[in-house]
Amino acid sequence: MTFKANDSLTEQIARYLGKQIIQNDMHAGERIQELRIAAELDVSRGSVREALLLLERRHLVNIYPRRGAVVAELGAESADEFFDLWFALIERVVVTFCQTWDNEELAPFFDISTQLMEAQQHDDLEAYYDSSVALLSALYPLGRNRYLEQTLDDLLPLTQRCFYAVLKSGKTQMAMTNQLVDATLKAVTARDVERVRKAIADFSAAYRHIIAEALQ
């Protein structure tokens, strides 16, 4: 693993492990072997433990006395509860963006939308997922509320895990997501708050239905 100087070692280890959990390379209930991870990454066991504490706060890992860290379960009920909260927060962000955007802020979303369509056409799940995460990273600051942005940033790893589960559940999910993104972007461009609220409600309903079936 190659580390970036501008990120703390703990954060980089957490991202490395988090990606494996998000993409289901490490499975729910699997025990995380601290010594193996430390040897694999050539870091101290203490650094791994600090990273696991970060992942626990990000809802990807559970840490138990005398048992250590295990990958957190992601069941249909917990995923539905998460999406219930997350889409409520996203609605707040997108409504604010709808009311306040300027051309410089809006333009990148058309570029990302094009990337999503191209990834769908090439049936490239990884590229689609990466562009989806880029869209969220660009969107969060536009709620004009640093506490809301921080909350969404803290929830991003669990968001990624749930989104990946949705996209992985079937090839039609990319096309459906593109339609939902397009409807939302058109409503934002029109500065139509009611259409934005409906688009987010449709997005929420679709994703909650899919993940309920995918994780049952």
Side-chain angles (χ1 to χ4, degrees), residues 11-110:
E11 178 63 39
Q12 290 177 75
I13 297 169
R15 288 182 182 176
Y16 172 79
L17 295 174
K19 183 177 181 180
Q20 293 189 53
I21 294 169
I22 288 164
Q23 298 187 355
N24 207 33
D25 294 323
M26 297 177 69
H27 304 293
E30 178 179 339
R31 185 178 177 188
I32 301 173
Q33 303 289 340
E34 294 177 7
L35 287 175
R36 180 184 65 79
I37 297 298
E40 179 182 330
L41 302 181
D42 193 23
V43 298
S44 70
R45 188 174 181 180
S47 295
V48 175
R49 284 178 175 171
E50 290 176 3
L52 291 173
L53 289 172
L54 275 181
L55 292 175
E56 184 179 39
R57 291 198 293 271
R58 294 170 182 174
H59 311 287
L60 296 183
V61 161
N62 293 324
I63 300 176
Y64 301 100
R66 296 180 297 279
R67 185 181 172 194
V70 300
V71 177
E73 298 286 344
L74 181 65
E77 183 177 356
S78 62
D80 184 70
E81 289 177 354
F82 171 71
F83 272 150
D84 186 32
L85 169 65
W86 188 83
F87 277 106
L89 298 176
I90 283 296
E91 180 184 299
R92 170 70 173 79
V93 171
V94 180
V95 165
T96 298
F97 182 37
C98 171
Q99 296 170 322
T100 62
W101 61 262
D102 59 36
N103 289 334
E104 185 175 340
E105 291 174 327
L106 189 61
F109 291 94
F110 290 101

Side-chain angles (χ1 to χ4, degrees), residues 75-76 211-216:
I211 207 161
E213 292 192 338
L215 298 178
Q216 65 183 0

Side-chain angles (χ1 to χ4, degrees), residues 21 81-82 94 116 135 159 179 193 199-200:
I21 294 169
E81 289 177 354
F82 171 71
V94 180
L116 291 171
L135 186 151
T159 308
Q179 292 175 355
V193 171
I200 297 299

